[in-house]
Amino acid sequence: MDFVTVPNGAIKLNVAVSGSGPLIVCVHGFPELGYSWRHQIAHFAARGFRVAALDVRGYGRSSKPREITAYTLRHLASDVVAVIEHMGDGPAVLFGHDWGAPIVWHTALLHPDKIRAVAGLSVPFRPRGPVPFIELARSIYKGRFFYQIYFQQEDVAEAELETDIAGALRKVYFALSGAAPHNKWLEPKPAEARLLDGLVDPQPFPGWMSETDLAVYVEAFRAGGFRGPLNRYRAQTLDFAELAELSGRSIEQPSAFIAGERDPVRAFVPGVDLYADPGVACSDFRGSTIIPGIGHWVQQEAPEETNAALEAFVRGL
C-alpha cells in the first residue's frame, strides 16, 4: 500500500491507500492506528475498491495538536472529509471502529453529500441525549472506577500509560478482547484506582495480534504519546454544546452495525444491552452482525467474519 499526507488546514493526516475503484475510508479508535484496518485494506483493495485508512489526528504520523478543542467530533469529521476530497473518488463509504464509529456517524450527519453509506463497528449510533455521555457516566459509576472519568484529568492517564507503553497496550488490548474474562474491562474497582490496576498482561498474547503487529502500535505511541488520543474523551462536553443542531437527527444513509458478542461496550449502561437495537436511529438500516465469542477489537480479532459482513453491506448498496 501507499502512504499519502492529506492536509486539513494546519492538520496533516497520514493515510494508507490501496486499490482502485469506489472509495472506502476507514477510521480507527482508541488506542489504535490506521494499521488496525490492515485486514480490511487488503480484502477490499483486492475486490475493486480504493481503501484509505487514516491515522486519526493525535495518532501515528498524523498531526498531534495539544489543545482539547482540536479533538471535537466536528473537527474529526472535517478530517474524514479532507481525506475524501483528497482522494477525489467520493462520495465515500465509511467504516469506523470504537471512537471511529462516532466519528463516521457524525461525518454522515454533518456532511451528508460526501457520504454514500456508513458502517459502525462496536459503537452503535445514538442521537444526542439530554446530557453529555460523560455526565451520565459520572452518575452511573458514582463511587467506582470508570475509565472515561479517569481520562478527564489531564496528564494522569498519560503518565500511567507512557510508563510502560508495551505493557499498557498488551493489558488494554487483552482486557477488551474476547479472550479475557467477560467484561473484565468493567470489573468493579475503587474510584481512586488507576486504569491498569487489576488488568492482566497475557503471555503469550492471543494470536490475533502478533509481536510484529504489537510493535507497530508500541513504536507509534512511544513516538507520539497519549495526550491527543485521550483528548478525544475530554472533548465530549464540547461536542454536546457544538452539535445541538443535530438533536433528533437520524442517520439517513444506508447503514450497518458490526460488533463482537463479548464486547464490554454493550454493557456500559448496567441492565441495558446497547447492541439490542443498533438501528433505532438509522432510517435506512441494513442490519447488524454480532460475532460470537469476539470482543472489542472486532476487525482484528475476527477479520474474516468482519470482512464478510462489511462486504455484504457494501455489495448491497
Side-chain angles (χ1 to χ4, degrees), residues 8 57 71-79 106 110-111 232 239 241-246:
N8 182 21
R57 68 167 70 187
Y71 293 88
T72 62
L73 286 171
R74 191 178 293 276
H75 282 307
L76 293 166
S78 77
D79 290 342
H106 284 82
L110 291 166
H111 305 277
R232 170 79 286 270
D239 293 327
E242 284 188 5
L243 300 176
E245 73 204 64
L246 301 181

Side-chain angles (χ1 to χ4, degrees), residues 134-308:
I134 192 63
E135 296 306 320
L136 178 63
R138 291 185 195 279
S139 174
I140 292 171
Y141 292 92
K142 186 175 182 179
R144 57 176 283 200
F145 180 87
F146 183 61
Y147 75 106
Q148 294 196 29
I149 299 171
Y150 177 69
F151 287 172
Q152 296 305 304
Q153 188 173 345
E154 296 178 54
D155 301 323
V156 173
E158 287 92 329
E160 182 185 8
L161 292 166
E162 291 168 12
T163 297
D164 174 10
I165 288 174
L169 289 176
R170 285 195 303 267
K171 290 176 181 179
V172 169
Y173 292 156
F174 180 71
L176 284 151
S177 76
H182 190 49
N183 287 337
K184 176 69 173 177
W185 187 249
L186 300 175
E187 191 172 68
K189 53 188 181 182
E192 65 272 14
R194 300 187 305 166
L195 179 69
L196 303 179
D197 290 351
L199 298 188
V200 175
D201 186 351
Q203 299 293 341
F205 198 86
W208 57 268
M209 184 177 289
S210 70
E211 286 295 327
T212 301
D213 294 330
L214 183 63
V216 173
Y217 296 100
V218 172
E219 179 182 359
F221 286 103
R222 280 179 178 159
F226 283 88
R227 180 179 173 86
L230 291 166
N231 276 351
R232 170 79 286 270
Y233 292 91
R234 297 165 184 153
Q236 292 183 72
T237 54
L238 299 176
D239 293 327
F240 188 77
E242 284 188 5
L243 300 176
E245 73 204 64
L246 301 181
S247 289
R249 291 270 302 278
S250 61
I251 301 295
E252 296 182 358
Q253 297 92 337
S255 59
F257 179 69
I258 301 166
E261 177 191 31
R262 291 169 58 84
D263 193 327
V265 170
R266 74 185 303 177
F268 273 7
V269 179
V272 177
D273 181 359
L274 294 180
Y275 293 175
D277 191 7
V280 66
C282 301
S283 60
D284 187 5
F285 190 63
R286 305 294 178 92
S288 65
T289 302
I290 307 299
I291 303 174
I294 298 302
H296 183 63
W297 319 105
V298 58
Q299 79 270 39
Q300 298 183 83
E301 291 184 62
E304 292 183 5
E305 297 92 331
T306 300
N307 289 345

Side-chain angles (χ1 to χ4, degrees), residues 1-162:
M1 71 185 70
D2 298 319
F3 289 89
V4 299
T5 300
V6 174
N8 182 21
I11 298 295
K12 301 294 186 289
L13 301 163
N14 180 58
V15 185
V17 183
S18 185
S20 60
L23 180 63
I24 296 171
V25 177
C26 302
V27 186
H28 69 81
F30 175 89
E32 299 180 272
L33 298 165
Y35 184 79
S36 307
W37 297 100
R38 58 198 177 279
H39 304 296
Q40 290 67 48
I41 295 170
H43 180 88
F44 284 94
R47 287 163 175 77
F49 294 90
R50 191 176 195 200
V51 188
L54 67 151
D55 288 342
V56 171
R57 68 167 70 187
Y59 291 84
R61 285 179 276 177
S62 291
S63 297
K64 301 170 184 65
R66 181 170 176 80
E67 61 276 14
I68 294 170
T69 54
Y71 293 88
T72 62
L73 286 171
R74 191 178 293 276
H75 282 307
L76 293 166
S78 77
D79 290 342
V80 176
V81 170
V83 172
I84 295 170
E85 293 179 342
H86 185 87
M87 297 298 136
D89 295 325
V93 175
L94 302 184
F95 299 163
H97 172 253
D98 185 78
W99 264 124
I103 293 170
V104 299
W105 295 128
H106 284 82
T107 305
L109 289 172
L110 291 166
H111 305 277
D113 58 319
K114 303 289 185 182
I115 310 307
R116 180 182 174 204
V118 56
L121 280 60
S122 297
V123 181
F125 175 67
R126 286 291 180 268
R128 183 178 183 272
V131 297
F133 174 75
I134 192 63
E135 296 306 320
L136 178 63
R138 291 185 195 279
S139 174
I140 292 171
Y141 292 92
K142 186 175 182 179
R144 57 176 283 200
F145 180 87
F146 183 61
Y147 75 106
Q148 294 196 29
I149 299 171
Y150 177 69
F151 287 172
Q152 296 305 304
Q153 188 173 345
E154 296 178 54
D155 301 323
V156 173
E158 287 92 329
E160 182 185 8
L161 292 166
E162 291 168 12

